[in-house]
Amino acid sequence: MRTAENGGPAGPRVVVLGGSGYLGRRIGAAFAADGALVHLVSRSPATDGPAQARSVPMDLLAAGRRELTGFFASVRPDVVVNAAGRAWRADEAEMTAGNADLVARVTQALAGLPGPPRLIQLGSVHEYGAGTPGAGTSEEQQPAPVTPYGRTKLLGTRTVLRATAEGGVDGVVLRLANVIGAGVPAGSLFGRVAAHLGEAALARSRGGTPDELGLPPLRAHRDVVDVHDVVEAVRSAATAPRADVGGRVVNIGRGEAVSMRALIHRMVALSGVDLPVVEADPGPSLRTDVEWQQLDVSRALRLLGWRPRRSLDDSLRDLIAAAVPAPVNGRNGR
């Protein structure tokens, strides 16, 4: 058994790539609370990471295989969680660098370690492409992504599965639905709406009239999962038997498709900020997306003992509490 410096038993060593990001810092905090020795790796140190975690400054997009190999060899991790990548406000070349090329270097670096650590790759529902309306997409469906983000995330998934099949990596891919919760990235639909609600609440408090909330047509239905539920899925995947999850994709979502129009209007109602929501066609766009995403999450229950616990209202209230000024937020809850 590994021992700590004080002679007692030590917890597992966990490396979180992208440790200062939206998901990474929460995953790191959860493992630290479990007693793990956590290394949060990112270009910029996590400002709100757990005190017991170690911040490791590293530009993962620029880090070569040799640098990564040296780092992993020095830490000797039991678990590596790849929460790094590029999504919002990045072009396809940048997404390829962050979502595919980095994964290749990470798997190559880990393959040389004894014993190899469990690698948990965070994938995306966007890897599947279009879902069938009224039905959930299982892990057996052949991916056919239609966005640069989906295509580059799929490249990363295939790299992990291939490395695991070759025996150099103990990898599992958690294919995440659209993640929601406090502090969701500003580039996402929910982040954009949360920021507007915060600005609108501030304008109201100063006696002004807030701008309407202008959005593209909200025709899509999406599977949406709470960030806390995602963290629990990662914790479960870290200790699941290799025979059960090694080299497998596991869907993590609510298992239902929710109308984005209904969800955004519910978010506005819960905020207590009275403002109109206006949908307008932005005209020709380079973005191609799908209108139905719903995951079949039965494998997650079977292999990880995981199921979503938090309600959509829980998620929306967390998001609103972090974005809307407290005096307005205090009148919420209806």
Side-chain angles (χ1 to χ4, degrees), residues 145-171:
V146 297
T147 64
Y149 180 67
R151 289 191 291 270
T152 57
K153 289 296 287 185
L154 180 58
L155 290 174
T157 288
R158 288 174 170 165
T159 294
V160 171
L161 300 183
R162 182 170 58 252
T164 304
E166 293 171 352
V169 170
D170 174 14

Side-chain angles (χ1 to χ4, degrees), residues 219-241:
R219 305 187 187 100
H221 288 70
R222 294 280 185 265
D223 198 323
V224 179
V225 65
D226 188 273
V227 64
H228 296 289
D229 284 331
V230 170
V231 171
E232 289 307 304
V234 173
R235 291 176 67 239
S236 297
T239 56

Side-chain angles (χ1 to χ4, degrees), residues 59-63 68 82 84-87 90-106 148 151-153 155-156:
D59 184 346
L60 289 167
L61 295 184
L68 288 167
N82 184 20
R86 297 298 302 273
D91 60 27
E92 188 157 3
E94 293 169 324
M95 291 182 187
T96 299
N99 302 335
D101 297 344
L102 170 62
V103 180
R105 294 196 303 276
V106 168
R151 289 191 291 270
T152 57
K153 289 296 287 185
L155 290 174

Side-chain angles (χ1 to χ4, degrees), residues 240-280:
R242 179 170 184 170
D244 289 344
V245 302
R248 305 194 77 169
V249 173
V250 182
N251 288 340
I252 301 297
R254 287 184 56 79
E256 62 182 22
V258 181
S259 162
M260 288 297 97
R261 178 175 293 115
L263 205 54
I264 294 302
H265 281 274
R266 178 61 175 163
M267 186 175 172
V268 173
L270 287 172
S271 75
V273 181
D274 182 22
L275 80 166
V277 179
V278 178
E279 298 178 40

Side-chain angles (χ1 to χ4, degrees), residues 145-332:
V146 297
T147 64
Y149 180 67
R151 289 191 291 270
T152 57
K153 289 296 287 185
L154 180 58
L155 290 174
T157 288
R158 288 174 170 165
T159 294
V160 171
L161 300 183
R162 182 170 58 252
T164 304
E166 293 171 352
V169 170
D170 174 14
V172 56
V173 177
L174 301 185
R175 194 166 271 162
L176 308 181
N178 301 278
V179 183
I180 187 173
V184 69
S188 69
L189 172 63
F190 290 104
R192 174 181 172 183
V193 173
H196 189 94
L197 288 174
E199 294 166 359
L202 187 60
R204 289 278 190 207
S205 70
R206 294 174 175 174
T209 301
D211 295 333
E212 66 184 22
L213 175 57
L215 297 171
L218 299 170
R219 305 187 187 100
H221 288 70
R222 294 280 185 265
D223 198 323
V224 179
V225 65
D226 188 273
V227 64
H228 296 289
D229 284 331
V230 170
V231 171
E232 289 307 304
V234 173
R235 291 176 67 239
S236 297
T239 56
R242 179 170 184 170
D244 289 344
V245 302
R248 305 194 77 169
V249 173
V250 182
N251 288 340
I252 301 297
R254 287 184 56 79
E256 62 182 22
V258 181
S259 162
M260 288 297 97
R261 178 175 293 115
L263 205 54
I264 294 302
H265 281 274
R266 178 61 175 163
M267 186 175 172
V268 173
L270 287 172
S271 75
V273 181
D274 182 22
L275 80 166
V277 179
V278 178
E279 298 178 40
D281 193 330
S285 172
L286 293 178
R287 179 174 179 176
T288 303
D289 215 335
V290 300
E291 294 193 2
W292 185 275
Q293 290 177 337
Q294 178 182 345
L295 293 176
D296 177 343
V297 295
S298 57
R299 180 179 288 183
L301 178 59
R302 187 171 69 254
L303 300 185
L304 303 179
W306 177 92
R307 67 179 69 192
R309 304 286 182 183
R310 307 198 81 227
S311 71
L312 289 173
D313 274 5
D314 289 338
S315 304
L316 294 177
R317 287 192 174 99
D318 285 352
L319 205 167
I320 292 163
V324 177
V328 174
N329 196 350
R331 297 197 295 271
N332 294 344

